[in-house]
Amino acid sequence: MRFFSYRNKLRLKRLAVILGAVAAVALAFCAIRFIYLQRYLVFTDTGAVFDYDQSLTSQGDTHTSLNLEDFPIEYAGLEQSQAVSSQEQPLEVLSGYYITTSMLQDPAAVTAALEAAETAPKAVMVEMKSIYGNFYYTSSLAGANTASVDISAVEALIDRLAQDKTYLIARIPAFSDNNFALANQSCGLPLSSGALWMDRNGCYWLDPQDAAVQDYLVAIAAELADLGFDEVVFDQYQIPDSENIVYEGDRAEAAAASAQTVKDMLAGYAIRVSFGSTAAGVAAVSDRLYISNDNGAAVEGIVANVSESLTDPAAQIVFCTASRDTRFEGYGLLRPLIEQSSEEQ
Protein backbone atom coordinates (compact mmCIF):
# COMPACT_ATOMS: atom_id res chain seq x y z
CA MET A 1 0.00 0.00 0.00
CA ARG A 2 1.37 3.41 -0.92
CA PHE A 3 1.69 5.88 1.94
CA PHE A 4 0.50 8.83 -0.22
CA SER A 5 -2.54 7.03 -1.52
CA TYR A 6 -5.72 8.99 -2.12
CA ARG A 7 -7.26 7.77 1.18
CA ASN A 8 -4.17 8.71 3.21
CA LYS A 9 -4.08 12.16 1.62
CA LEU A 10 -7.67 12.76 2.77
CA ARG A 11 -6.77 11.70 6.31
CA LEU A 12 -3.74 14.01 6.39
CA LYS A 13 -5.84 16.89 5.10
CA ARG A 14 -8.45 16.34 7.86
CA LEU A 15 -5.67 16.16 10.45
CA ALA A 16 -4.15 19.43 9.20
CA VAL A 17 -7.54 21.17 9.42
CA ILE A 18 -8.05 19.91 12.98
CA LEU A 19 -4.55 20.99 14.07
CA GLY A 20 -5.07 24.41 12.50
CA ALA A 21 -8.34 24.88 14.34
CA VAL A 22 -6.75 23.86 17.64
CA ALA A 23 -3.87 26.28 17.05
CA ALA A 24 -6.30 29.13 16.28
CA VAL A 25 -8.26 28.47 19.46
CA ALA A 26 -5.06 28.34 21.50
CA LEU A 27 -3.85 31.61 19.97
CA ALA A 28 -7.19 33.32 20.67
CA PHE A 29 -7.12 32.06 24.25
CA CYS A 30 -3.59 33.41 24.78
CA ALA A 31 -4.57 36.80 23.32
CA ILE A 32 -7.65 37.08 25.52
CA ARG A 33 -5.67 36.04 28.57
CA PHE A 34 -2.94 38.57 27.76
CA ILE A 35 -5.49 41.39 27.40
CA TYR A 36 -7.15 40.38 30.64
CA LEU A 37 -3.88 40.15 32.59
CA GLN A 38 -2.69 43.55 31.36
CA ARG A 39 -4.76 45.23 34.06
CA TYR A 40 -2.68 43.47 36.71
CA LEU A 41 0.69 44.28 35.13
CA VAL A 42 2.76 46.71 37.20
CA PHE A 43 6.10 48.17 36.17
CA THR A 44 8.66 48.64 38.93
CA ASP A 45 12.32 49.61 39.10
CA THR A 46 13.29 45.93 39.00
CA GLY A 47 11.01 44.95 36.12
CA ALA A 48 7.40 44.01 35.39
CA VAL A 49 5.30 41.90 37.82
CA PHE A 50 1.67 40.84 38.12
CA ASP A 51 -0.14 42.32 41.14
CA TYR A 52 -3.49 40.56 41.55
CA ASP A 53 -4.30 42.42 44.80
CA GLN A 54 -4.39 45.94 43.37
CA SER A 55 -7.69 47.85 43.24
CA LEU A 56 -9.09 48.25 39.75
CA THR A 57 -11.99 50.55 40.66
CA SER A 58 -12.51 53.32 38.13
CA GLN A 59 -11.53 56.80 39.36
CA GLY A 60 -13.46 58.62 36.67
CA ASP A 61 -12.07 61.16 34.17
CA THR A 62 -8.84 62.13 35.93
CA HIS A 63 -7.30 64.19 33.12
CA THR A 64 -9.37 67.23 34.02
CA SER A 65 -7.45 67.67 37.27
CA LEU A 66 -4.02 67.92 35.60
CA ASN A 67 -2.12 71.14 36.18
CA LEU A 68 -0.58 72.09 32.85
CA GLU A 69 2.09 74.13 34.64
CA ASP A 70 3.52 70.81 35.83
CA PHE A 71 4.18 69.80 32.24
CA PRO A 72 6.34 72.46 30.59
CA ILE A 73 6.24 72.30 26.78
CA GLU A 74 9.09 73.52 24.62
CA TYR A 75 7.69 74.98 21.42
CA ALA A 76 9.71 74.70 18.22
CA GLY A 77 8.38 78.06 17.03
CA LEU A 78 9.47 80.00 20.12
CA GLU A 79 12.09 82.05 18.26
CA GLN A 80 9.50 83.22 15.75
CA SER A 81 7.10 84.21 18.58
CA GLN A 82 9.85 86.23 20.23
CA ALA A 83 10.68 87.87 16.91
CA VAL A 84 7.04 88.83 16.38
CA SER A 85 7.04 90.47 19.82
CA SER A 86 10.20 92.40 18.98
CA GLN A 87 8.51 93.85 15.87
CA GLU A 88 5.86 95.37 18.15
CA GLN A 89 8.41 97.63 19.84
CA PRO A 90 8.02 101.39 19.27
CA LEU A 91 9.23 102.60 15.89
CA GLU A 92 12.44 104.58 15.67
CA VAL A 93 13.46 107.14 13.05
CA LEU A 94 15.39 105.22 10.40
CA SER A 95 18.69 106.25 8.86
CA GLY A 96 20.86 104.29 6.48
CA TYR A 97 21.14 103.25 2.85
CA TYR A 98 19.13 101.62 0.12
CA ILE A 99 20.50 99.14 -2.42
CA THR A 100 18.78 98.82 -5.79
CA THR A 101 18.62 95.86 -8.16
CA SER A 102 20.95 97.82 -10.43
CA MET A 103 23.57 97.95 -7.67
CA LEU A 104 23.14 94.23 -7.03
CA GLN A 105 24.47 93.56 -10.51
CA ASP A 106 27.86 94.06 -8.85
CA PRO A 107 27.68 92.60 -5.31
CA ALA A 108 31.42 93.16 -4.82
CA ALA A 109 30.95 96.92 -5.34
CA VAL A 110 28.11 96.89 -2.83
CA THR A 111 30.30 95.14 -0.26
CA ALA A 112 33.13 97.60 -0.89
CA ALA A 113 30.77 100.56 -0.46
CA LEU A 114 29.52 99.20 2.86
CA GLU A 115 33.08 98.70 4.07
CA ALA A 116 34.03 102.22 2.98
CA ALA A 117 31.20 103.80 4.95
CA GLU A 118 32.46 105.96 7.84
CA THR A 119 30.04 104.31 10.26
CA ALA A 120 28.16 101.03 10.05
CA PRO A 121 24.61 101.71 8.81
CA LYS A 122 21.79 101.19 11.30
CA ALA A 123 19.39 100.24 8.52
CA VAL A 124 19.77 98.96 4.96
CA MET A 125 16.97 98.48 2.46
CA VAL A 126 17.57 96.04 -0.40
CA GLU A 127 15.42 95.60 -3.49
CA MET A 128 14.86 91.84 -3.60
CA LYS A 129 12.67 91.62 -6.70
CA SER A 130 12.77 93.58 -9.94
CA ILE A 131 9.83 95.37 -11.54
CA TYR A 132 9.72 92.54 -14.08
CA GLY A 133 9.26 89.90 -11.39
CA ASN A 134 12.78 88.43 -11.17
CA PHE A 135 13.90 87.46 -7.68
CA TYR A 136 17.27 88.44 -6.21
CA TYR A 137 17.27 85.49 -3.86
CA THR A 138 16.52 81.80 -4.17
CA SER A 139 12.74 81.55 -3.97
CA SER A 140 10.82 78.32 -3.58
CA LEU A 141 7.64 79.81 -5.04
CA ALA A 142 6.25 77.98 -8.03
CA GLY A 143 7.39 79.57 -11.28
CA ALA A 144 9.75 82.04 -9.57
CA ASN A 145 12.45 83.35 -11.90
CA THR A 146 15.85 84.23 -10.50
CA ALA A 147 17.59 87.38 -11.73
CA SER A 148 20.73 86.98 -13.82
CA VAL A 149 23.12 87.97 -11.02
CA ASP A 150 25.31 86.14 -8.54
CA ILE A 151 22.50 85.10 -6.21
CA SER A 152 24.87 83.38 -3.78
CA ALA A 153 26.79 86.66 -3.40
CA VAL A 154 23.55 88.59 -2.78
CA GLU A 155 22.43 86.07 -0.16
CA ALA A 156 25.88 86.20 1.46
CA LEU A 157 25.54 89.99 1.65
CA ILE A 158 22.13 89.66 3.34
CA ASP A 159 23.50 87.10 5.77
CA ARG A 160 26.42 89.35 6.64
CA LEU A 161 24.18 92.34 7.31
CA ALA A 162 21.91 90.19 9.47
CA GLN A 163 24.88 88.95 11.51
CA ASP A 164 26.02 92.56 11.97
CA LYS A 165 22.61 93.28 13.54
CA THR A 166 21.77 95.76 10.76
CA TYR A 167 18.07 96.52 10.55
CA LEU A 168 17.20 94.81 7.26
CA ILE A 169 14.41 96.02 5.00
CA ALA A 170 13.35 94.29 1.79
CA ARG A 171 11.70 96.37 -0.92
CA ILE A 172 9.39 94.53 -3.29
CA PRO A 173 7.51 96.10 -6.23
CA ALA A 174 4.02 95.13 -5.18
CA PHE A 175 2.11 94.92 -8.46
CA SER A 176 4.63 95.45 -11.26
CA ASP A 177 5.45 91.86 -12.19
CA ASN A 178 5.57 90.57 -15.76
CA ASN A 179 6.34 86.98 -14.80
CA PHE A 180 3.37 86.53 -12.48
CA ALA A 181 1.00 88.47 -14.76
CA LEU A 182 1.84 86.35 -17.80
CA ALA A 183 1.47 83.11 -15.81
CA ASN A 184 -1.78 84.31 -14.20
CA GLN A 185 -3.38 86.65 -16.73
CA SER A 186 -6.69 86.86 -14.86
CA CYS A 187 -4.77 88.60 -12.06
CA GLY A 188 -3.58 91.47 -14.26
CA LEU A 189 -5.08 94.90 -14.84
CA PRO A 190 -6.98 94.71 -18.16
CA LEU A 191 -7.57 97.01 -21.10
CA SER A 192 -10.98 97.22 -22.74
CA SER A 193 -9.67 94.82 -25.40
CA GLY A 194 -9.00 92.18 -22.75
CA ALA A 195 -5.22 92.50 -23.06
CA LEU A 196 -3.14 93.40 -20.02
CA TRP A 197 -2.26 97.02 -19.32
CA MET A 198 1.46 97.84 -19.52
CA ASP A 199 3.28 100.83 -18.02
CA ARG A 200 5.99 102.92 -19.69
CA ASN A 201 8.68 100.48 -18.46
CA GLY A 202 6.99 97.68 -20.40
CA CYS A 203 5.70 96.07 -17.18
CA TYR A 204 2.34 94.44 -16.57
CA TRP A 205 0.57 95.27 -13.29
CA LEU A 206 -1.44 93.03 -10.97
CA ASP A 207 -4.84 93.67 -9.42
CA PRO A 208 -4.38 94.52 -5.70
CA GLN A 209 -7.72 92.99 -4.75
CA ASP A 210 -7.09 89.65 -6.43
CA ALA A 211 -6.81 86.92 -3.75
CA ALA A 212 -4.05 85.10 -5.66
CA VAL A 213 -2.02 88.32 -5.82
CA GLN A 214 -2.42 88.86 -2.08
CA ASP A 215 -1.36 85.28 -1.37
CA TYR A 216 1.67 85.84 -3.60
CA LEU A 217 2.78 88.90 -1.63
CA VAL A 218 2.30 87.11 1.68
CA ALA A 219 4.37 84.14 0.47
CA ILE A 220 7.20 86.47 -0.58
CA ALA A 221 7.17 88.21 2.80
CA ALA A 222 7.30 84.87 4.59
CA GLU A 223 10.42 83.89 2.62
CA LEU A 224 12.05 87.23 3.35
CA ALA A 225 11.39 86.78 7.06
CA ASP A 226 13.18 83.44 6.87
CA LEU A 227 16.12 85.16 5.16
CA GLY A 228 16.51 87.46 8.16
CA PHE A 229 14.70 90.61 7.05
CA ASP A 230 13.09 92.69 9.78
CA GLU A 231 10.71 94.57 7.52
CA VAL A 232 9.17 94.28 4.07
CA VAL A 233 8.10 97.24 1.95
CA PHE A 234 5.55 96.57 -0.78
CA ASP A 235 6.41 99.47 -3.02
CA GLN A 236 4.11 101.41 -5.39
CA TYR A 237 1.06 100.08 -3.60
CA GLN A 238 -1.53 101.57 -5.91
CA ILE A 239 -3.60 101.12 -9.00
CA PRO A 240 -2.20 103.42 -11.72
CA ASP A 241 -4.53 106.26 -12.71
CA SER A 242 -4.34 105.44 -16.42
CA GLU A 243 -7.71 105.83 -18.14
CA ASN A 244 -6.89 102.82 -20.30
CA ILE A 245 -7.25 100.45 -17.33
CA VAL A 246 -10.70 98.97 -16.98
CA TYR A 247 -11.40 99.03 -13.25
CA GLU A 248 -14.68 99.42 -11.39
CA GLY A 249 -14.81 101.15 -8.04
CA ASP A 250 -12.53 103.59 -6.24
CA ARG A 251 -8.89 102.73 -6.92
CA ALA A 252 -7.50 104.36 -3.80
CA GLU A 253 -10.00 102.52 -1.60
CA ALA A 254 -9.19 99.25 -3.35
CA ALA A 255 -5.45 99.70 -2.69
CA ALA A 256 -6.06 100.55 0.98
CA ALA A 257 -8.35 97.55 1.46
CA SER A 258 -5.78 95.29 -0.18
CA ALA A 259 -3.03 96.67 2.08
CA GLN A 260 -5.13 95.92 5.15
CA THR A 261 -5.79 92.36 3.98
CA VAL A 262 -2.12 91.64 3.28
CA LYS A 263 -1.05 93.08 6.61
CA ASP A 264 -3.66 91.02 8.46
CA MET A 265 -2.48 87.87 6.68
CA LEU A 266 1.08 88.56 7.83
CA ALA A 267 0.13 89.24 11.45
CA GLY A 268 1.69 85.96 12.62
CA TYR A 269 5.02 86.44 10.86
CA ALA A 270 8.19 87.92 12.36
CA ILE A 271 8.38 90.82 9.95
CA ARG A 272 7.05 94.37 9.89
CA VAL A 273 4.76 95.21 7.00
CA SER A 274 5.12 98.60 5.32
CA PHE A 275 4.10 100.11 2.00
CA GLY A 276 5.45 102.54 -0.57
CA SER A 277 2.67 105.05 -1.11
CA THR A 278 1.60 108.66 -0.60
CA ALA A 279 -2.09 107.73 -0.19
CA ALA A 280 -3.67 108.43 3.20
CA GLY A 281 -5.68 105.20 3.12
CA VAL A 282 -2.57 103.04 2.67
CA ALA A 283 -0.68 105.15 5.23
CA ALA A 284 -3.29 104.31 7.86
CA VAL A 285 -2.49 100.61 7.44
CA SER A 286 1.30 100.78 7.09
CA ASP A 287 3.85 100.36 9.88
CA ARG A 288 6.04 102.78 7.97
CA LEU A 289 5.46 104.70 4.76
CA TYR A 290 8.34 104.69 2.26
CA ILE A 291 8.40 107.52 -0.25
CA SER A 292 10.88 107.84 -3.13
CA ASN A 293 11.33 111.52 -3.93
CA ASP A 294 14.24 113.84 -4.69
CA ASN A 295 12.19 117.05 -4.70
CA GLY A 296 12.54 118.80 -1.37
CA ALA A 297 9.76 121.22 -2.27
CA ALA A 298 7.28 118.32 -2.25
CA VAL A 299 8.05 117.20 1.29
CA GLU A 300 5.61 119.52 3.07
CA GLY A 301 2.68 118.54 0.87
CA ILE A 302 3.41 114.81 1.13
CA VAL A 303 3.69 114.96 4.90
CA ALA A 304 0.49 116.99 5.22
CA ASN A 305 -1.40 114.45 3.09
CA VAL A 306 -0.52 111.43 5.23
CA SER A 307 0.20 112.82 8.70
CA GLU A 308 -3.37 112.49 9.97
CA SER A 309 -3.25 108.76 9.17
CA LEU A 310 -0.06 108.24 11.20
CA THR A 311 0.56 108.20 14.93
CA ASP A 312 4.23 109.25 14.70
CA PRO A 313 5.03 110.86 11.32
CA ALA A 314 8.70 111.44 12.14
CA ALA A 315 9.28 107.71 12.70
CA GLN A 316 6.75 106.37 10.22
CA ILE A 317 7.65 108.44 7.17
CA VAL A 318 10.84 107.34 5.44
CA PHE A 319 12.15 109.23 2.44
CA CYS A 320 14.32 107.30 -0.02
CA THR A 321 16.27 110.06 -1.69
CA ALA A 322 19.64 111.02 -3.13
CA SER A 323 18.91 114.69 -2.39
CA ARG A 324 20.76 116.57 0.34
CA ASP A 325 17.89 119.03 0.73
CA THR A 326 17.45 119.79 4.44
CA ARG A 327 13.67 119.65 4.09
CA PHE A 328 13.92 115.84 4.16
CA GLU A 329 15.48 115.96 7.61
CA GLY A 330 13.28 115.28 10.61
CA TYR A 331 11.97 112.05 9.06
CA GLY A 332 13.47 108.69 8.28
CA LEU A 333 16.12 108.93 5.58
CA LEU A 334 17.60 106.23 3.37
CA ARG A 335 20.13 107.31 0.77
CA PRO A 336 21.58 105.31 -2.14
CA LEU A 337 24.59 103.26 -1.09
CA ILE A 338 26.19 103.88 -4.50
CA GLU A 339 25.48 107.13 -6.31
CA GLN A 340 24.18 106.45 -9.81
CA SER A 341 23.04 108.77 -12.56
CA SER A 342 20.54 106.24 -13.85
CA GLU A 343 19.27 102.95 -12.51
CA GLU A 344 18.19 100.05 -14.59
CA GLN A 345 15.79 97.61 -13.10
Side-chain angles (χ1 to χ4, degrees):
M1 179 181 65
R2 291 182 301 167
F3 180 76
F4 290 106
S5 64
Y6 176 73
R7 182 175 297 177
N8 287 340
K9 288 181 180 180
L10 288 177
R11 290 174 179 173
L12 290 173
K13 187 174 181 179
R14 291 194 192 99
L15 179 61
V17 171
I18 294 171
L19 291 175
V22 172
V25 172
L27 183 62
F29 175 78
C30 291
I32 293 171
R33 181 173 174 79
F34 177 75
I35 294 172
Y36 175 78
L37 292 177
Q38 271 189 324
R39 66 181 65 187
Y40 297 106
L41 188 62
V42 177
F43 292 93
T44 68
D45 293 338
T46 59
V49 297
F50 288 101
D51 182 3
Y52 298 101
D53 297 326
Q54 64 176 308
S55 173
L56 298 177
T57 304
S58 174
Q59 299 298 319
D61 190 3
T62 59
H63 73 275
T64 57
S65 62
L66 290 178
N67 185 357
L68 295 181
E69 294 181 357
D70 295 333
F71 301 89
I73 301 174
E74 193 170 317
Y75 292 97
L78 182 59
E79 292 184 1
Q80 180 176 354
S81 299
Q82 290 175 336
V84 171
S85 298
S86 70
Q87 303 305 328
E88 297 173 354
Q89 298 300 318
L91 293 172
E92 297 181 357
V93 178
L94 285 184
S95 63
Y97 300 105
Y98 65 82
I99 301 172
T100 66
T101 54
S102 178
M103 298 178 197
L104 290 177
Q105 300 294 323
D106 188 355
V110 171
T111 300
L114 286 171
E115 293 176 347
E118 295 181 0
T119 58
K122 295 181 179 179
V124 172
M125 182 169 72
V126 188
E127 293 183 353
M128 298 301 289
K129 185 170 75 71
S130 76
I131 58 176
Y132 301 105
N134 297 320
F135 288 83
Y136 281 72
Y137 68 94
T138 304
S139 173
S140 61
L141 300 181
N145 290 337
T146 302
S148 56
V149 296
D150 187 347
I151 294 298
S152 61
V154 174
E155 292 178 341
L157 170 67
I158 300 304
D159 186 59
R160 173 188 170 181
L161 289 170
Q163 291 182 6
D164 290 342
K165 306 300 181 183
T166 305
Y167 188 80
L168 270 175
I169 310 155
R171 180 156 64 177
I172 300 293
F175 306 122
S176 174
D177 193 313
N178 280 8
N179 297 335
F180 191 86
L182 290 173
N184 305 271
Q185 295 193 29
S186 62
C187 298
L189 294 177
L191 300 171
S192 58
S193 64
L196 297 182
W197 179 81
M198 180 182 289
D199 66 14
R200 62 182 181 181
N201 293 317
C203 295
Y204 297 120
W205 279 56
L206 307 175
D207 181 355
Q209 288 198 305
D210 190 280
V213 173
Q214 295 169 359
D215 289 342
Y216 179 55
L217 297 182
V218 169
I220 293 173
E223 290 190 328
L224 294 170
D226 288 340
L227 282 175
F229 282 94
D230 301 289
E231 186 170 348
V232 60
V233 180
F234 294 116
D235 200 22
Q236 294 182 298
Y237 213 90
Q238 63 189 29
I239 299 175
D241 58 5
S242 170
E243 296 180 356
N244 295 326
I245 298 174
V246 177
Y247 201 90
E248 297 181 1
D250 188 283
R251 301 186 186 192
E253 290 180 1
S258 171
Q260 182 68 68
T261 299
V262 169
K263 186 170 182 182
D264 290 344
M265 292 171 71
L266 285 166
Y269 291 85
I271 192 166
R272 283 192 185 276
V273 182
S274 299
F275 301 92
S277 175
T278 56
V282 176
V285 175
S286 188
D287 278 1
R288 287 192 178 94
L289 205 63
Y290 288 78
I291 302 167
S292 297
N293 196 302
D294 289 332
N295 182 11
V299 171
E300 184 178 355
I302 292 172
V303 173
N305 185 54
V306 299
S307 286
E308 292 186 2
S309 301
L310 305 174
T311 57
D312 186 359
Q316 289 181 271
I317 296 176
V318 182
F319 285 104
C320 304
T321 180
S323 172
R324 299 294 172 177
D325 194 311
T326 56
R327 284 174 287 191
F328 288 104
E329 296 176 1
Y331 305 97
L333 269 177
L334 297 178
R335 302 191 184 280
L337 178 64
I338 301 174
E339 297 290 344
Q340 294 180 316
S341 58
S342 62
E343 298 187 5
E344 298 175 0
Q345 300 290 331

